[in-house]
Amino acid sequence: MKTFFITALLVIAFFFVVRQFIYKPYAWKKAINSKEHQLQVGSFIFSSERGSNGSQSFTTHYFVFKVIEINGDFVRFSVIRKLSEKYKLVQGDFSTTSSDYKKLKKTVKEKLITPILRDDLYKGEGPSYMLNDYLVGKYPDLNTSRYYYEDIPAEEKNKALPTDPLDLTLYFSLVYSKKEIIEHGKLTPWIMNNSLKNAPELADRLSKKIDLILN
């Protein structure tokens, strides 16, 4: 009986190793090369991670991103969010709920999602990230759907890296490694960790797994 139990555990461990280190990488590379799931500007990226909820417990945070720029190995993301209704500001982080996350996996390609220039989110009456007359006037699609993502002007995309340390720090916000996404299925951010080097570095310790890429 003891021998049978040990054998069963070894078989389970074997299949776990095969699934984690052989099948999953194979399935990811197969998917990333398909038209529906390959990485490109306009792709939707779904990612989740465990994190603190501000107390002693942990919770899962769910994120949906839009790829707005690919410049060499630098892939710039923007978070898909929903503007608060006028005069009904809802406080929250950039994550979404588990329920909305599951729904968006099925419906995000059909959603009307408005690209809003970053500076415009701070214009108009009322708090930022809330629907107002200025935003509706400039982006009338917001009358139909309050989903949006922050965009940057076309002339600021695919430019050479800035040389000023402060500009470099601002540049590497939600910028991830293209190689890590394609080869390992994870979001590994580029960060400015050492101002003396004046060069970005990959922060593997901050990596998050990718659940899905959709086009």
Side-chain angles (χ1 to χ4, degrees):
M1 185 68 179
K2 185 177 180 181
T3 302
F4 173 79
F5 181 71
I6 293 174
T7 302
L9 286 178
L10 289 174
V11 170
I12 292 172
F14 171 77
F15 280 108
F16 175 80
V17 170
V18 169
R19 183 174 183 272
Q20 290 296 114
F21 298 100
I22 298 178
Y23 175 74
K24 278 191 172 182
Y26 166 77
W28 174 258
K29 289 183 178 179
K30 183 178 180 181
I32 200 72
N33 287 311
S34 68
K35 185 176 181 180
E36 185 179 6
H37 302 291
Q38 67 184 3
L39 179 68
Q40 61 189 38
V41 173
S43 293
F44 295 102
I45 311 286
F46 291 78
S47 176
S48 58
E49 64 173 339
R50 293 282 291 172
S52 172
N53 64 359
S55 62
Q56 294 182 340
S57 60
F58 288 84
T59 187
T60 301
H61 299 282
Y62 300 92
F63 299 91
V64 184
F65 301 101
K66 177 99 168 177
V67 177
I68 61 173
E69 179 188 13
I70 298 178
N71 187 5
D73 193 58
F74 305 139
V75 182
R76 185 177 304 282
F77 286 4
S78 185
V79 183
I80 301 295
R81 299 191 72 192
K82 200 172 186 179
L83 288 170
S84 296
E85 294 181 66
K86 195 173 183 180
Y87 306 125
K88 295 180 181 179
L89 182 64
V90 177
Q91 298 289 347
D93 56 18
F94 289 98
S95 61
T96 187
T97 64
S98 174
S99 176
D100 284 345
Y101 187 75
K102 292 176 182 176
K103 290 178 183 176
L104 284 171
K105 279 186 175 181
K106 299 177 181 178
T107 63
V108 70
K109 292 192 290 185
E110 286 73 47
K111 291 285 186 184
L112 180 58
I113 305 174
T114 302
I116 300 178
L117 292 177
R118 185 177 301 159
D119 291 345
D120 285 341
L121 287 166
Y122 303 96
K123 296 179 180 179
E125 294 184 1
S128 304
Y129 306 109
M130 186 178 75
L131 203 62
N132 59 46
D133 293 340
Y134 172 82
L135 289 173
V136 171
K138 187 169 182 179
Y139 306 96
D141 282 343
L142 292 173
N143 280 314
T144 303
S145 169
R146 289 183 284 115
Y147 279 103
Y148 77 97
Y149 62 91
E150 291 186 26
D151 204 2
I152 57 177
E155 61 271 16
E156 293 184 15
K157 296 178 180 178
N158 300 105
K159 294 174 61 176
L161 290 183
T163 56
D164 181 78
L166 178 58
D167 290 339
L168 270 173
T169 300
L170 294 174
Y171 180 90
F172 287 103
S173 173
L174 289 179
V175 173
Y176 297 87
S177 167
K178 178 181 177 180
K179 180 180 179 181
E180 292 297 310
I181 293 172
I182 293 174
E183 294 188 3
H184 303 294
K186 62 181 183 179
L187 302 179
T188 303
W190 282 99
I191 63 171
M192 290 296 296
N193 194 42
N194 189 336
S195 59
L196 296 178
K197 290 182 179 179
N198 205 34
E201 60 184 54
L202 281 174
D204 191 63
R205 68 187 184 280
L206 300 177
S207 293
K208 299 189 286 283
K209 71 181 183 72
I210 296 174
D211 293 337
L212 180 67
I213 296 179
L214 281 178
N215 292 314

